[in-house]
């Protein structure tokens, strides 16, 4: 019997900052109006064509960073509150940026709860912030209760070649109905995946699949009328019409409730199109007589999907990373498997090194995949302390479970890798280990839903625990960006972590260079930041580099204690042209 799957979600690290002054809404960039940058194919072979309508924005963003949003920005339609916290943004090849953020009154002493939501900025068309979802947005149909959103609990993502956005959303129940068995009035529908493509917001999938009117939302391959319980992680969008996601659900086996998991997609261009299964807990791992016990939130582009699927999440012995077409129960092609030899930067196997772990957050541009992997048995101990701020129920649960902190065992040997799904070549981009420049590529958060509480600020509906994530992004015509922590050097001050990049061309990687590091001056990144500010934290997501556009989030602080945060973008022809901040 398959045990309840407990997924290690690629939970984002929230970057925060608080403005000490009120300033008018502005964008530190020049835009040209007109049509969007022309969409292009997803094979990663050649750079996308540059439409003349976007040439002005590209010119302005070349050689320098431009501000997408920062602490001085006020969400549209909101009075007296400015942004103070940003999650990692995503961008498409047309220069459209989408990000999750929070806003509050200056000083934080008034105004009640933060204003939360998802916003977008089209770098090639308009400087104006677009509200995709916020606290005042009514949940789209089906909704007969008039409820608005409470929270968007994961990072929103955008299609590589269209404006299609996908985001999770939580609310109070959106559907009143009479239970056909008990004849009692019931309410349901507290979470779902929502989409936007030039507006308005629409429901991609929700947890109402057990109701006959919404049977197209039910779990495919499960007993009829089985609904999804939750959609952990971030959904992905592709081809201007598909949303793909991880879904958890529950079935009864031998009078026992058993948790299941899988990877799915749905065609949102057809109002009642059913959810389609890619792989789930009943799918045998290719070449094995063992089903998947763990799946991860996927990434999709150019009509294909990539995901991590394992037999045992915490201690895998089988499975790996797979690519497949968006089709009903398609054949799965392995990208990298548990036990495969670990390649070096030229693709030659490292001596006595075989993959033992893979990360969940896969970057994908339709041809190239960037991923995290580890090998060997050597570990180092890292003590993790409970967060000091955030959801009070989650903090209390963490402190009760880990009063002295939690000691995690970190793989000594780990790395970021690039795989070409056409040539089947895998290259090591960067690694940790003895004598290496990097010590770690994993970052930790404590997240989940405490027992007996609501959905929480960032809950994925799964039990609270420590979760690790690695962060990398890929553009096959330019290279790989990733977040890494440097190895300590005795008597030398090194940045604690930063965003780094390696160029890629003709099947070969260039040396790793820093893009931005903790401790860098912020003035060149954001002239609006308080004087003498230095970088405090950095963040990227799987869709941080596409078609030459790069986007990231940074928080900073200055000697006076003034904090700041923002979302920024630049345009490069090659990764070595990332504008320096020092």
């Amino acid at each position: 019997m398959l045990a309840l799957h407990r997924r290690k979600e690629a939970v984002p690290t929230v970057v925060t900052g608080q403005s000490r002054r009120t300033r008018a809404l502005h964008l530190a960039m020049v835009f040209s109006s007109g049509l969007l940058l022309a969409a292009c194919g997803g094979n990663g072979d050649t750079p996308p064509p540059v439409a003349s309508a976007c040439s002005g924005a590209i010119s302005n963003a070349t050689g320098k960073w431009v501000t997408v949003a920062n602490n001085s920005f006020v969400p549209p339609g909101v009075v007296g509150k400015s942004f103070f916290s940003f999650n990692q943004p995503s961008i498409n090849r047309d220069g459209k940026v989408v990000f999750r953020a929070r806003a509050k009154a200056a000083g934080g002493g008034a105004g009640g709860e933060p204003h939360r939501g998802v916003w977008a900025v089209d770098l090639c068309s308009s400087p104006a912030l677009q509200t995709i979802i916020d606290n005042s947005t009514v949940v789209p149909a089906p909704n007969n209760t008039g409820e608005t959103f409470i929270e968007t609990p994961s990072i929103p993502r955008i299609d590589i070649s269209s404006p299609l956005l996908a985001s999770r959303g939580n609310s109070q129940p959106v559907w009143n109905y009479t239970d056909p068995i008990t004849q009692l009035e019931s309410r349901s529908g507290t979470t779902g995946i929502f989409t936007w493509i030039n507006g308005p917001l629409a429901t991609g999938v929700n947890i109402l699949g057990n109701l006959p009117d919404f049977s197209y939302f039910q779990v495919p391959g499960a007993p009829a009328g089985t609904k999804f319980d939750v959609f952990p992680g971030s959904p992905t969008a592709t081809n201007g019409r598909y949303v793909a996601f991880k879904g958890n659900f529950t079935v009864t086996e031998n009078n026992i409730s058993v948790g299941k998991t899988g990877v799915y997609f749905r065609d949102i261009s057809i109002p009642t199109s059913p959810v389609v299964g890619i792989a789930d807990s009943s799918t045998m791992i290719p070449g094995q007589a063992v089903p998947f016990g763990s799946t991860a939130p996927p990434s999709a582009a150019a009509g294909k999907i990539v995901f991590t699927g394992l037999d045992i999440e915490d201690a895998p012995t089988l499975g790996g990373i797979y690519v497949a077409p968006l089709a009903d129960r398609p054949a799965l092609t392995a990208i990298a498997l548990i036990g495969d030899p670990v390649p070096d930067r030229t693709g030659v196997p490292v001596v006595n090194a075989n993959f033992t772990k893979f990360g969940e957050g896969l970057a994908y541009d339709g041809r190239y995949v960037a991923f995290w992997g580890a090998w060997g048995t050597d570990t180092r101990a890292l003590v993790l302390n409970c967060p000091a701020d955030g959801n009070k129920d989650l903090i209390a649960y963490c402190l009760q479970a880990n009063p002295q902190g939690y000691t995690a065992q970190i793989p000594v040997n780990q790395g970021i890798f690039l795989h070409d799904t056409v040539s089947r070549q895998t290259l090591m981009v960067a690694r940790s280990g003895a004598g290496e420049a990097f010590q770690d590529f994993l970052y930790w958060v404590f997240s989940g839903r405490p027992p007996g509480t609501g959905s929480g600020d960032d809950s994925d509906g799964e039990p609270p625990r420590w979760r690790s994530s690695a962060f990398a992004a890929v553009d096959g015509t330019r290279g790989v960006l990733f977040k890494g922590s440097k190895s300590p050097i005795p008597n030398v001050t090194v940045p604690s972590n930063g965003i780094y990049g390696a160029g890629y061309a003709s099947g070969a990687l260039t040396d790793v260079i820093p893009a931005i590091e903790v401790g860098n001056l912020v003035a060149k990144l954001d002239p609006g930041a308080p004087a003498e500010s230095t970088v405090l934290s950095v963040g990227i997501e799987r869709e941080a580099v596409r078609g030459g556009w790069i986007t990231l989030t940074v928080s900073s602080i200055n000697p006076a204690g003034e904090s700041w945060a923002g979302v920024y973008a630049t345009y490069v022809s090659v990764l070595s042209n990332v504008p320096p901040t020092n």
Side-chain angles (χ1 to χ4, degrees):
M1 184 180 299
L2 182 69
L4 175 62
H5 164 67
R6 295 171 183 260
R7 189 192 53 77
K8 185 185 298 180
E9 182 185 359
V11 177
T13 302
V14 175
V15 182
T16 61
Q18 180 180 337
S19 174
R20 298 303 180 101
R21 49 192 170 178
T22 302
R23 296 166 50 191
L25 178 66
H26 72 279
L27 274 177
M29 60 180 79
V30 176
F31 297 91
S32 63
S33 60
L35 299 175
L36 291 173
L37 179 67
C40 60
N43 62 11
D45 286 327
T46 57
V50 177
S52 59
C54 197
S55 59
I58 288 174
S59 175
N60 186 67
T62 299
K64 61 180 178 295
W65 291 97
V66 293
T67 301
V68 177
N70 64 21
N71 285 26
S72 72
F73 282 50
V74 175
V78 176
V79 178
K81 293 183 179 181
S82 59
F83 289 123
F84 73 99
S85 171
F86 300 87
N87 285 110
Q88 298 95 314
S90 296
I91 196 167
N92 70 3
R93 282 178 171 163
D94 301 331
K96 185 151 193 166
V97 182
V98 58
F99 59 91
R100 176 175 175 251
R102 294 183 293 169
K104 66 180 180 180
E113 285 292 310
H115 191 80
R116 315 165 189 268
V118 171
W119 287 269
V121 171
D122 192 330
L123 299 181
C124 289
S125 178
S126 169
L129 280 168
Q130 295 174 286
T131 299
I132 307 300
I133 302 173
D134 67 6
N135 300 74
S136 62
T137 303
V138 176
V139 178
N143 179 1
N144 64 7
T145 64
E147 293 290 345
T148 57
F149 286 99
I150 296 174
E151 178 61 281
T152 52
S154 63
I155 288 173
R157 299 171 69 184
I158 188 168
D159 183 5
I160 193 172
S161 58
S162 86
L164 178 61
L165 314 177
S167 175
R168 286 172 56 207
N170 292 346
S171 67
Q172 293 297 322
V174 298
W175 199 255
N176 285 329
Y177 66 99
T178 301
D179 189 289
I181 297 176
T182 66
Q183 296 301 306
L184 297 176
E185 289 297 315
S186 300
R187 305 183 78 202
S188 185
T190 56
T191 189
I193 293 169
F194 301 90
T195 62
W196 185 97
I197 182 165
N198 295 324
L201 193 69
T203 298
V205 62
N206 63 18
I207 59 171
L208 295 174
N210 60 318
L211 303 181
D213 288 346
F214 311 114
S215 59
Y216 48 92
F217 291 144
Q218 67 184 306
V219 181
T226 300
K227 70 179 183 68
F228 286 103
D229 298 327
V230 70
F231 307 102
S234 295
T236 181
T238 187
N239 287 55
R241 61 187 295 180
Y242 300 114
V243 59
F245 55 92
K246 171 193 166 94
N248 289 356
F249 58 100
T250 304
V251 298
T252 301
E253 296 180 350
N254 300 320
N255 296 318
I256 298 174
S257 293
V258 180
K260 304 279 188 175
T261 183
V263 175
Y264 308 89
F265 76 96
R266 183 169 177 265
D267 184 347
I268 63 167
S269 69
I270 303 172
T272 59
S273 65
V275 174
V276 180
I278 297 290
D280 61 22
S281 301
S282 65
T283 304
M284 293 297 168
I285 296 175
Q288 307 293 333
V290 176
F292 287 112
S294 159
T295 59
S299 292
K304 292 168 286 185
I305 188 170
V306 295
F307 70 97
T308 300
L310 306 168
D311 59 342
I312 305 168
E313 180 187 358
D314 295 329
T317 62
L318 298 171
I321 299 170
Y322 300 90
V323 61
L326 287 173
D328 191 1
R329 304 288 169 173
L332 306 179
T333 300
I335 288 173
L337 297 175
I338 297 296
D340 277 359
V342 175
D344 67 10
R345 286 179 58 82
T346 65
V348 176
V350 177
V351 177
N352 297 323
N354 299 86
F355 284 116
T356 57
K357 294 179 182 294
F358 292 115
E360 292 194 341
L362 309 177
Y364 184 48
D365 70 354
R367 173 171 173 173
Y368 295 93
V369 182
F371 65 91
W372 175 92
W375 60 97
T377 58
D378 294 341
T379 61
R380 65 181 180 88
L382 177 66
V383 177
L384 305 171
N385 295 312
C386 294
D389 55 20
N391 184 287
K392 65 180 188 309
D393 294 324
L394 189 63
I395 294 172
Y397 186 92
C398 181
L399 291 171
Q400 183 180 23
N402 309 283
Q404 305 302 317
Y406 174 78
T407 301
Q409 297 299 323
I410 311 299
V412 170
N413 297 297
Q414 52 175 289
I416 303 296
F417 297 86
L418 173 66
H419 177 84
D420 181 348
T421 61
V422 174
S423 71
R424 310 294 299 155
Q425 181 186 51
T426 302
L427 303 177
M428 177 191 290
V429 179
R431 63 162 293 178
S432 65
E436 299 293 334
F438 292 96
Q439 183 182 51
D440 204 352
F441 304 101
L442 292 178
Y443 300 90
W444 294 79
V445 297
F446 189 81
S447 65
R449 179 188 294 178
T453 68
S455 60
D457 288 351
D458 298 290
S459 170
D460 59 10
E462 296 183 339
R465 62 193 177 102
W466 286 101
R467 307 159 193 255
S468 64
S469 302
F471 299 95
V474 64
D475 176 343
T477 65
R478 289 167 176 82
V480 178
L481 286 180
F482 62 91
K483 185 175 180 178
S485 296
K486 287 292 192 72
S487 297
I489 301 175
N491 303 316
V492 176
T493 300
V494 297
S496 58
N497 63 77
I499 305 299
Y500 303 88
Y504 177 78
S506 302
L509 289 161
T510 65
D511 291 339
V512 172
I513 60 170
I516 186 167
E517 297 176 300
V518 169
N520 285 178
L521 296 173
V522 177
K524 291 183 179 179
L525 177 75
D526 186 349
E532 300 181 65
S533 292
T534 56
V535 175
L536 187 64
S537 67
V538 295
I540 61 167
E541 250 300 325
R542 287 157 283 193
E543 285 129 21
V545 51
R546 282 173 158 179
W549 288 105
I550 295 174
T551 186
L552 49 74
T553 185
V554 172
S555 69
S556 62
I557 196 165
N558 72 355
E562 296 176 299
S563 55
W564 194 257
V567 173
Y568 307 95
T570 188
Y571 185 90
V572 299
S573 55
V574 293
L575 282 187
S576 59
N577 289 342
V578 173
T581 54
N582 264 6

